[in-house]
Amino acid sequence: ADAAIGDGEKLYDTLLATTPINPANPVENNRQLPLYLPNYYYSLEGSPNYGRSSCKYETGTVSWFIMACVEQLLGVRATVNGLAVSPLIPTDWDNVECFRKFKNADYHITVKRGVKTTVNGKVFEGQYLPYADGEHYEVVFGIEGGENV
């Protein structure tokens, strides 16, 4: 929902809240090993289990979390028309990068404030990243918040 309304700050906070390293629900309380992402945390306030992890590991939670990070926070999504980039990174992040395979091409994508969007060093203004079978692309996706946009 945070991504749908374009609120990157809230999206990041929501994603962080679901992790076992959430500072508002430390490991001493949630009893979750920090190398697992549980299915859920008990949320009934007043319950003796409030904030504790379900400790259920055999779920789709990790794949959901990765998709939420890559497709919503970083904004790198596969569509029927090609690979689209529309990041919602927090305002205090100057840049972030990821590697993404799409069909039979590889993309190294850097989202960066204050620069123009380029693909393989050339200014790019399209809605979808270029694609050619077997190619490698170096993408710098410029977003507002810097001096040179």
Side-chain angles (χ1 to χ4, degrees):
D2 300 326
I5 62 171
D7 190 339
E9 302 293 328
K10 182 75 171 121
L11 173 61
Y12 178 73
D13 290 343
T14 299
L15 289 170
L16 181 60
T18 66
T19 68
I21 59 167
N22 174 5
N25 188 18
V27 173
E28 296 79 27
N29 183 59
N30 68 39
R31 298 183 180 181
Q32 174 63 53
L33 291 172
L35 57 128
Y36 294 108
L37 200 58
N39 192 18
Y40 60 88
Y41 295 95
Y42 292 94
S43 62
L44 182 61
E45 290 189 42
S47 163
N49 292 325
Y50 178 71
R52 291 201 180 145
S53 163
S54 66
C55 293
K56 300 201 183 301
Y57 315 122
E58 303 84 14
T59 70
T61 306
V62 172
S63 57
W64 166 85
F65 188 82
I66 291 169
M67 283 187 65
C69 289
V70 172
E71 293 189 358
Q72 305 300 320
L73 191 65
L74 301 180
V76 180
R77 292 177 295 107
T79 72
V80 295
N81 296 315
L83 202 57
V85 182
S86 55
L88 292 172
I89 63 171
T91 55
D92 61 342
W93 292 13
D94 289 327
N95 62 66
V96 64
E97 62 184 274
C98 71
F99 294 90
R100 175 71 157 84
K101 188 163 191 71
F102 178 68
K103 297 183 182 180
N104 195 30
D106 296 315
Y107 295 81
H108 174 215
I109 300 169
T110 303
V111 175
K112 191 171 186 175
R113 295 191 186 281
V115 300
K116 294 198 177 291
T117 297
T118 61
V119 175
N120 293 341
K122 297 178 183 169
V123 174
F124 180 77
E125 295 183 3
Q127 187 174 3
Y128 302 101
L129 297 178
Y131 173 81
D133 200 43
E135 290 296 316
H136 174 81
Y137 295 97
E138 290 290 330
V139 179
V140 177
F141 191 87
I143 58 174
E144 292 182 12
E147 300 174 11
N148 300 328
V149 174

